[in-house]
Amino acid sequence: GDSVTQMEGPVTLSEEAFLTINCTYTATGYPSLFWYVQYPGEGLQLLLKATKADDKGSNKGFEATYRKETTSFHLEKGSVQVSDSAVYFCALSDDTDKLIFGTGTRLQVFP
Amino acid sequence: NAGVTQTPKFRVLKTGQSMTLLCAQDMNHEYMYWYRQDPGMGLRLIHYSVGEGTTAKGEVPDGYNVSRLKKQNFLLGLESAAPSQTSVYFCASSPGHLSGGYGYTFGSGTRLTVV
């Protein structure tokens, strides 16, 4: 079945460092891809999305490009802030209109 | 503010007790979902609904029941709680086909502890 694999965390960075969180997927069809962010004690919030190959989703300085040839949707940010500390989830939509989530990657940013 | 509201936010149950978690959305979304979140396991789908009066099983449905009598509400029931059901429960909704890139809107979660 369809699945999402994320890099294990935690990812620990200093403020203003470059961030990459890897996400790869397995899918039989042509899924839409999503990144969600969960701040402590809160629910998940949609961060960005891409609906077809080569699309780039972007929001709040974060970017991810839908790469069909490598089945990847890696999350990047050029300069992280302490306020970016959270858990990040990669997800794909399967052909029955449900989201399949990765296990999440915790990001910790220190001043 | 429009969105998804979950009640209660916290609950402690004794083994064998029953309870109902309520999810309400005011965005006129067709689809609603219940997930549980456990450390190291991400989010796992319990049950979902694609419209008023419909329900379907997800990945981990055992020990739970759901109902969607009104479009805006999606109830999750535990008939006889077990310690293995200790988790954080999230409700989500979406307007329709995810292939359109709509994504989900999540509630803030219910932290349930079964002792």
Side-chain angles (χ1 to χ4, degrees):
Chain A
D2 295 356
S3 65
V4 175
T5 302
Q6 288 182 240
M7 61 189 292
E8 291 201 18
V11 174
T12 304
L13 295 173
S14 297
E15 206 165 26
E16 299 183 3
F18 184 86
L19 168 70
T20 300
I21 299 178
N22 290 337
C23 171
T24 57
Y25 68 89
T26 302
T28 53
Y30 301 93
S32 293
L33 301 175
F34 304 82
W35 276 101
Y36 280 81
V37 59
Q38 184 179 30
Y39 298 103
E42 298 183 10
L44 281 72
Q45 303 173 25
L46 179 63
L47 181 60
L48 53 84
K49 63 187 180 185
T51 58
K52 61 183 186 297
D54 300 324
D55 269 2
K56 177 184 285 188
S58 61
N59 187 26
K60 300 181 181 179
F62 290 90
E63 294 182 339
T65 300
Y66 190 161
R67 302 284 189 200
K68 190 170 182 291
E69 64 276 14
T70 55
T71 61
S72 65
F73 193 54
H74 304 322
L75 182 68
E76 296 181 337
K77 187 176 185 182
S79 176
V80 294
Q81 306 300 311
V82 172
S83 58
D84 294 326
S85 298
V87 180
Y88 292 81
F89 291 90
C90 185
L92 66 80
S93 61
D94 70 6
D95 56 2
T96 61
D97 286 319
K98 298 188 293 296
L99 281 181
I100 296 173
F101 290 90
T103 53
T105 301
R106 181 176 299 279
L107 171 65
Q108 298 174 324
V109 181
F110 294 96
Chain B
N1 290 337
V4 177
T5 303
Q6 291 184 234
T7 53
K9 294 190 183 303
F10 303 93
R11 185 73 185 268
V12 178
L13 285 181
K14 293 182 178 179
T15 298
Q17 286 185 319
S18 63
M19 77 164 295
T20 300
L21 283 67
L22 172 63
C23 176
Q25 54 95 2
D26 58 4
M27 298 170 286
N28 201 35
H29 284 175
E30 286 294 332
Y31 294 16
M32 298 186 74
Y33 311 83
W34 276 106
Y35 284 85
R36 60 178 287 173
Q37 183 179 30
D38 301 293
M41 304 190 74
L43 281 82
R44 293 182 292 169
L45 182 64
I46 305 171
H47 286 281
Y48 65 103
S49 168
V50 298
E52 182 179 312
T54 75
T55 63
K57 294 181 179 180
E59 180 185 357
V60 288
D62 293 343
Y64 305 94
N65 57 75
V66 288
S67 65
R68 186 136 179 237
L69 300 179
K70 294 183 178 180
K71 185 177 184 178
Q72 63 268 34
N73 296 335
F74 195 31
L75 280 62
L76 177 70
L78 286 73
E79 291 186 347
S80 179
S84 60
Q85 294 178 304
T86 293
S87 188
V88 180
Y89 292 85
F90 287 101
C91 178
S93 69
S94 85
H97 287 287
L98 295 174
S99 59
Y102 293 112
Y104 290 177
T105 300
F106 279 86
S108 58
T110 295
R111 184 174 296 276
L112 175 66
T113 302
V114 183
V115 298

